[in-house]
Amino acid sequence: MGHGLLGADVTSHRPANPRRGLPPARPIACAPSLTSYLSAAAGLVGGACAAHEVAGPLHAVPAGLRGDSRPQRAGVGAARVAMAAEPLAAVPGVPSLVERYFTRWYKADVRGKPCEDHCILQHSNRICVITLAESHPALQPGKTIKSISYQISAGCSRLQNKVSGKFKRGAQFLTELAPLCKIQCSDGEEYTVSSCVRGRLMEVNENILHNPSILQEKPSTEGYIAVVLPKFEESKSVTEGLLTQKQYEQVLMKRTNATAASSQD
C-alpha cells in the first residue's frame, strides 16, 4: 500500500482475488492538499469499527504531524491527525474536522470540583478523545500551566501504557473516574484530569509534557489529553452520564446567572 501526504497515491487495502475474478484495488484519488488528505483519513476511520476491535490496515500518519515514524491503526491514527491538523482546516463558514467527525460530550464538575469540566470528543468508530472544556479553570486567562504529569501514583504511570495487537493487549483499563494526568499551575493550583468514559487507554499526548501551553492554546485539538477506546458492548451506553452540547450550554448559563446574582447581593 502506498502512503502519501501531498500528491502521493494512497491505495485501497483490498487485495486482488484471482479466484473470484475481482479486479486489483483502485488507487484512492491523490490528496491535493493536507486538508483533503485528513478528510480522507477521517472517512476511512468511519467504517473501521468491527465487533471487537477498530479494524482496518495500518495507515501511516504523517511523521511531520505525529513526531515519529510509527504506523498507527486507522482509528487512533486518523483521530490524532484530525487533532493535529485542526487549525489548518479552520475556514469561516466551513465545519472543522472536529465538528464534522466528532460528537462533543461534556462532564461538568468532575469529581465534585466546581467548573473542572471535561470535554469528550467521540468518533463514530467508538474512539473517544479526552480534552478539557474551555471553561476549565486551567484554561482561563491569567493561568499559566507549569507542568503536566501522567504519573498518577508511585506504581502507576499512563506513560507505561503499551498497546499491541487487535485485542489491544497491554492497554490500561480505565473507569469513568480513573485519573489520566495531573496539571500543575504556576499559582500552586493542581488539577486532575479524569477519563470520564470506561475503556482501554490507547495513547496519551506526550507533546503537552514538553509544551504545556498547547493545552491552553488548542485544548480541543493538539492539546488533547488522551485517547480511550470503550468496549464495543458499551459503545452506546458510555455517554449516558455525559452532557450534550446543548445541555452543557445550559449549565454554563446557570453558572453565569448564579455568579451575577451573588455579585448583586
Side-chain angles (χ1 to χ4, degrees):
M1 179 190 344
H3 299 282
L5 178 57
L6 298 177
D9 288 336
V10 182
T11 59
S12 167
H13 65 275
R14 178 173 59 80
N17 190 334
R19 292 186 179 180
R20 297 185 179 180
L22 295 178
R26 292 183 179 181
I28 298 175
C30 297
S33 67
L34 179 59
T35 301
S36 59
Y37 172 85
L38 297 172
S39 298
L44 286 172
V45 112
C49 182
H52 296 289
E53 64 165 332
V54 176
L58 293 177
H59 294 279
V61 179
L65 295 178
R66 192 177 66 244
D68 56 45
S69 58
R70 295 172 297 169
Q72 296 290 329
R73 284 196 175 274
V76 178
R80 184 192 289 172
V81 169
M83 296 299 103
E86 176 64 19
L88 298 179
V91 179
V94 178
S96 66
L97 286 173
V98 170
E99 293 171 338
R100 279 188 287 173
Y101 299 112
F102 294 86
T103 299
R104 290 179 181 269
W105 297 91
Y106 294 88
K107 186 72 173 180
D109 304 329
V110 177
R111 290 177 172 270
K113 302 293 184 65
C115 301
E116 292 192 21
D117 306 339
H118 295 12
C119 177
I120 298 87
L121 304 174
Q122 184 187 41
H123 195 277
S124 59
N125 70 344
R126 294 183 292 138
I127 286 289
C128 292
V129 182
I130 313 303
T131 69
L132 293 185
E134 294 185 357
S135 59
H136 194 283
L139 305 184
Q140 301 314 301
K143 279 280 189 179
T144 300
I145 296 179
K146 182 179 180 181
S147 64
I148 300 172
S149 174
Y150 285 108
Q151 187 74 39
I152 305 306
S153 64
C156 179
S157 173
R158 300 308 181 197
L159 293 176
Q160 295 175 350
N161 187 67
K162 304 296 181 183
V163 183
S164 64
K166 65 179 182 179
F167 294 108
K168 311 299 181 286
R169 294 184 178 87
Q172 298 176 11
F173 186 79
L174 306 171
T175 62
E176 295 91 334
L177 296 178
L180 291 173
C181 71
K182 296 180 179 180
I183 301 173
Q184 186 72 41
C185 294
S186 58
D187 59 4
E189 291 289 338
E190 182 177 279
Y191 305 98
T192 298
V193 180
S194 300
S195 175
C196 295
V197 294
R198 285 168 51 87
R200 293 184 175 90
L201 179 62
M202 294 291 99
E203 70 172 50
V204 296
N205 185 8
E206 297 185 31
N207 291 332
I208 61 177
L209 299 178
H210 313 297
N211 189 0
S213 62
I214 296 179
L215 180 58
Q216 292 178 307
E217 297 168 0
K218 306 171 184 178
S220 296
T221 54
E222 294 180 54
Y224 72 97
I225 303 296
V227 178
V228 177
L229 178 64
K231 291 182 177 180
F232 178 77
E233 58 270 21
E234 298 179 359
S235 58
K236 293 183 178 180
S237 62
V238 71
T239 59
E240 287 182 352
L242 304 178
L243 302 174
T244 63
Q245 177 85 45
K246 185 175 181 179
Q247 290 172 332
Y248 182 63
E249 290 175 354
Q250 292 174 350
V251 170
L252 295 181
M253 182 64 69
K254 290 180 180 179
R255 287 180 184 169
T256 301
N257 293 337
T259 300
S262 62
S263 62
Q264 294 175 0
D265 293 342

